[in-house]
Amino acid sequence: MLEINVVKKFHSDAGDIEFRPRLNIAAGTFNMLFGKSGSGKTTLLRMIAGLAEPDAGDISSEGKSWTDKGRVITAPQDRNIGFVSQDFSLFGHMTVEENVYYACGDKKEADRLIEASGLSALRKKHTDRLSGGQKQRVAFSRAMARKPGLLLLDEPMSALDGETRCVMRTELKSAAGRGVTIVMVTHDVAEIFALAEKVFVIESGIIAREGTPAEIFINSMTPNKFALTGEVVRVEKNGAVNVVTVSSGESAAEIVVSRFEAAQLHPGDTVLVAAKDFRPVLIKMNRGGLCLKTETRAAGAGIMMTARNS
Amino acid sequence: MATEEAQIMELMPFLISFRLAFTVTLILAAASFPLAWLLAVKKFALKPVLEMLVTLPMVLPPTVIGFYMLAALSPRLAFGGALEKIFHTQFVFSFAGIALGGCIHSLPFMVQPLKNGLQSLDRAQAEMSRVLGKSELETFLKITLPQMKPYIMTGLLMTFVHTIGAFGVVLMVGGNIPGVTKVASIALYEKVETMDFSGANLYAAILVGISLIAVVAAQRFGAKRGEVK
C-alpha cells in the first residue's frame, strides 16, 4: 500500500495552487491520475518518485516512510520504482542497449528486454536519433529493467500514434498482470477505460473523486439529446444485454446494443453516438473519422447511462 | 656543442610556455568545477560579487593583475610570507609564481564554459539516473560529465591557449629569467627589442600555429549551440 498525504504549494498556468492530495494506492493495482493541465498530476508523480519535496506531509510505502514531514528520507534510488516521463528523459549520449543496460546492469536481462520490445534492430542507435514511438519503447524497457515494484508513468502515450499506443497498452496490461503497482497520468478517458482499475480525479488542489472508471465517468444524468464521436473502449455482455462503452474527450457513454451490433464493434473502433428522444444511433466510423456504411439503431432500452463532462 | 646549447636555449621559452600552460590548465580544471557549480546552480547573497571577481581577469590589463600579484606574493608581506612557509618555495620570480599568476589570469576562460555547461544540463536525465537506482557520484560520472564534455573541452583548450600567450602577468610576476620564467611571448618581445626580426618571425609563426590548432580543436570538440541534449 502506497499512502500519500502531503501539501505542496506550486505555481502553474492556472495560478498559485496549494495542492493537498490524500490517497491510498493498493499494491498491484493499475491507477490513473486524471485532471486538467496544471492541476498537480506531474508534481504528485515527482513527489512519489522523490524528485520533488512536499512542503509538509508524509508518503509511505508498505509501512516504510519515504517522505516524513515534508523531508525526503528515502532517496529516489532506494525506492525501487520505474519512471517514464513525458519527454522520456533518455540518455542521449548512450545507445539503446546502453540505456537499458545502465538501468539493470545485467547484459542478458538488457538483451531480453530489447528483444521483447522489438528494439533489436535499433540497439546500437543513439537514442536522440529515434522516433517518438521508438523512444517510448526504450523508456519503458529501461523503466522495467530494474523490475520495479511501482511504475510511474507521466502521459507516456501522449505523443504516440494509434498503433504504438495499442502496443503500449498491451505492455502495460502485461506489467500490471505481473503484480507491478502502476500510477499513470493521463488526459485520455479511452486509456482509463482500457487500463485503469481505479481513477483519482484531481480538482482544485485535492483528490476530488476516486473510483472505478465507470463510477467516475458514467452516471445517469442523461440529457435527452446528445451526440458524440468517440472510441469504443469496451464491448461486454452485461446479463441479458450487450453494452458498448464509448469514450470521447473527457466523457464516456454506455450504450445498449443488439448482439449483432456488439459482434461488429471492437475496442479501438471510432463511432458516432447520437441520441434523440432516447433513441440512440451508433455509427461505426473508420480510424480517420470518415463515416462507413453501417448505421444501426439500438432498439428498445436505448441509452442506459451516459456521461457528464467531468 | 655550443650550437646545440644555443638551439636548446632557443627552444626553452616554448618548453616553459607549454609547461606553464599544462600546469595552469590542470590546476584550473580541478579548481574551477566547484566554482562554476556555485555560480551556475547555487543562490547566495554574494553571488554577484563572486561572479564579478571571476570575470575581472578577462577585462583587467594583465600588467595590473601582475602588479597586484607581485605585491601580494612578496615574501615581506603577510600573504606572500605565509605562502612561502606553507609551500617551502619562493613565488616571486619563479615558475610557481607565474603558474599562480597564470591561474588567476586564465580563470574566466575555464570557469565560464563550465558554468555554461552546467546551466545547459538536462537535469531530468540526472533525476532519471537517480530513479534508476544510481548514486549521486555514479550519476555525475556517467550522466552529467558526458553531457558536459563539449564544455569541458572548450574550457581546457581556451585556458591552454590563453596561457600559452600570457605576457603581462608572467613578466610582472616572473621577470625574464632564461630557463625559468622566460616564456615564448616574452622571448618574442626580446627578439623584436634586439632587432632579431627573423627570430621574432619564427616565434610569432609558431605561436600563431599553436593558436590555430587550438581554435580548430575547439571547433571540432568544443561546445556548439544546441549540441548538448
Side-chain angles (χ1 to χ4, degrees):
Chain A
M1 174 79 81
L2 181 65
E3 292 169 79
I4 301 155
N5 182 11
V6 288
V7 180
K8 174 86 176 168
K9 286 178 188 164
F10 66 93
H11 183 79
S12 79
D13 293 343
D16 289 326
I17 290 176
E18 188 175 275
F19 188 37
R20 294 178 164 274
R22 187 174 184 168
L23 61 158
N24 293 334
I25 290 168
T29 56
F30 202 130
N31 305 269
M32 296 264 195
L33 301 177
F34 183 78
K36 288 184 177 153
S37 294
S39 60
K41 303 182 296 295
T42 298
T43 304
L44 179 54
L45 278 198
R46 287 177 59 77
M47 285 192 288
I48 297 172
L51 300 175
E53 279 198 340
D55 298 322
D58 312 324
I59 297 174
S60 64
S61 172
E62 307 302 336
K64 189 187 176 197
S65 206
W66 281 0
T67 303
D68 185 31
K69 296 186 179 71
R71 215 165 47 85
V72 170
I73 55 174
T74 304
Q77 61 264 39
D78 299 325
R79 297 188 179 197
N80 189 28
I81 51 180
F83 192 3
V84 178
S85 60
Q86 232 171 326
D87 63 356
F88 309 127
S89 295
L90 296 174
F91 307 130
H93 61 286
M94 293 184 187
T95 61
V96 168
E97 66 180 358
E98 284 167 347
N99 264 272
V100 180
Y101 176 74
Y102 183 74
C104 62
D106 179 345
K107 182 87 174 62
K108 273 187 183 170
E109 178 64 6
D111 286 345
R112 191 191 65 75
L113 282 162
I114 288 167
E115 190 88 21
S117 313
L119 292 165
S120 299
L122 305 169
R123 62 191 312 142
K124 297 287 179 198
K125 252 195 171 181
H126 275 81
T127 52
D128 49 6
R129 292 180 189 159
L130 302 179
S131 69
Q134 290 166 340
K135 281 183 180 175
Q136 178 271 324
R137 274 148 67 198
V138 178
F140 185 70
S141 299
R142 189 181 63 177
M144 294 306 291
R146 266 194 94 201
K147 296 189 170 60
L150 173 63
L151 185 59
L152 305 173
L153 307 160
D154 191 359
E155 295 192 55
M157 296 188 245
S158 56
L160 304 183
D161 57 70
E163 202 175 318
T164 318
R165 206 174 269 237
C166 279
V167 174
M168 177 75 176
R169 280 183 187 176
T170 310
E171 285 175 5
L172 287 176
K173 275 181 185 168
S174 149
R178 293 196 297 273
V180 178
T181 308
I182 300 177
V183 182
M184 176 167 152
V185 166
T186 187
H187 282 111
D188 189 340
V189 177
E191 254 166 43
I192 289 175
F193 273 93
L195 297 166
E197 291 168 66
K198 193 162 185 183
V199 188
F200 297 91
V201 180
I202 301 173
E203 274 172 11
S204 311
I206 56 165
I207 303 292
R209 282 173 290 156
E210 62 178 86
T212 64
E215 284 166 356
I216 296 295
F217 293 101
I218 299 172
N219 65 23
S220 56
M221 293 164 61
T222 311
N224 285 353
K225 296 176 185 178
F226 82 100
L228 62 85
T229 306
E231 182 184 333
V232 173
V233 292
R234 201 161 52 193
V235 183
E236 61 186 359
K237 199 167 171 63
N238 193 350
V241 292
N242 295 287
V243 180
V244 175
T245 308
V246 177
S247 82
S248 173
E250 295 184 2
S251 308
E254 282 186 341
I255 297 129
V256 176
V257 295
S258 69
R259 194 178 58 183
F260 171 74
E261 288 158 356
Q264 303 253 314
L265 294 165
H266 302 95
D269 285 348
T270 304
V271 291
L272 171 66
V273 184
K276 186 184 175 188
D277 299 331
F278 298 100
R279 283 153 55 88
V281 176
L282 196 142
I283 302 166
K284 185 169 177 175
M285 307 167 86
N286 70 3
R287 285 188 184 277
L290 293 170
C291 272
L292 291 179
K293 55 194 178 193
T294 323
E295 179 172 315
T296 58
R297 196 176 290 272
I303 295 173
M304 256 173 71
M305 294 177 283
T306 69
R308 64 179 170 85
N309 287 333
S310 60
Chain B
M1 194 70 182
T3 323
E4 254 180 48
E5 209 168 282
Q7 278 176 341
I8 290 171
M9 284 315 285
E10 287 288 303
L11 274 177
M12 193 56 91
F14 284 102
L15 295 178
I16 295 171
S17 281
F18 272 108
R19 186 182 166 211
L20 178 65
F22 273 117
T23 308
V24 167
T25 306
L26 275 179
I27 293 172
L28 285 184
S32 299
F33 232 104
L35 203 53
W37 180 77
L38 272 178
L39 293 174
V41 179
K42 287 285 162 189
K43 286 179 186 168
F44 52 97
L46 291 175
K47 190 169 168 175
V49 178
L50 184 63
E51 202 131 12
M52 189 194 69
L53 285 175
V54 169
T55 315
L56 207 55
M58 207 183 262
V59 290
L60 270 181
T63 44
V64 174
I65 301 171
F67 171 71
Y68 282 119
M69 287 207 65
L70 188 62
L73 293 174
S74 165
R76 277 184 254 160
L77 294 178
F79 180 71
L83 271 186
E84 279 204 17
K85 271 186 189 162
I86 294 166
F87 292 100
H88 302 289
T89 186
Q90 181 192 322
F91 277 85
V92 176
F93 304 121
S94 70
F95 183 79
I98 61 172
L100 191 58
C103 284
I104 304 289
H105 184 40
S106 295
L107 184 69
F109 291 87
M110 182 67 87
V111 172
Q112 204 57 44
L114 292 183
K115 184 185 147 193
N116 292 345
L118 286 166
Q119 282 174 334
S120 71
L121 280 179
D122 178 2
R123 296 195 192 288
Q125 291 195 17
E127 287 181 350
M128 193 55 75
S129 172
R130 302 282 309 282
V131 169
L132 290 170
K134 307 302 173 188
S135 67
E136 286 190 52
L137 180 65
E138 194 171 0
T139 297
F140 177 76
L141 293 175
K142 292 186 176 166
I143 304 300
T144 307
L145 266 188
Q147 281 189 74
M148 291 276 297
K149 196 170 139 193
Y151 295 93
I152 293 170
M153 289 305 293
T154 301
L156 292 174
L157 287 164
M158 296 309 288
T159 304
F160 187 85
V161 79
H162 187 248
T163 311
I164 284 275
F167 178 82
V169 175
V170 177
L171 194 59
M172 293 296 270
V173 180
N176 182 8
I177 305 169
V180 182
T181 62
K182 185 175 166 181
V183 295
S185 55
I186 293 175
L188 167 63
Y189 177 72
E190 205 179 62
K191 292 274 178 200
V192 175
E193 260 200 327
T194 55
M195 304 281 210
D196 179 4
F197 291 117
S198 63
N201 252 329
L202 182 67
Y203 274 45
I206 293 172
L207 286 173
V208 167
I210 293 167
S211 303
L212 271 177
I213 290 168
V215 170
V216 171
Q219 281 178 338
R220 172 76 182 79
F221 303 110
K224 298 173 189 75
R225 190 177 289 230
E227 183 181 61
V228 173
K229 297 204 166 45

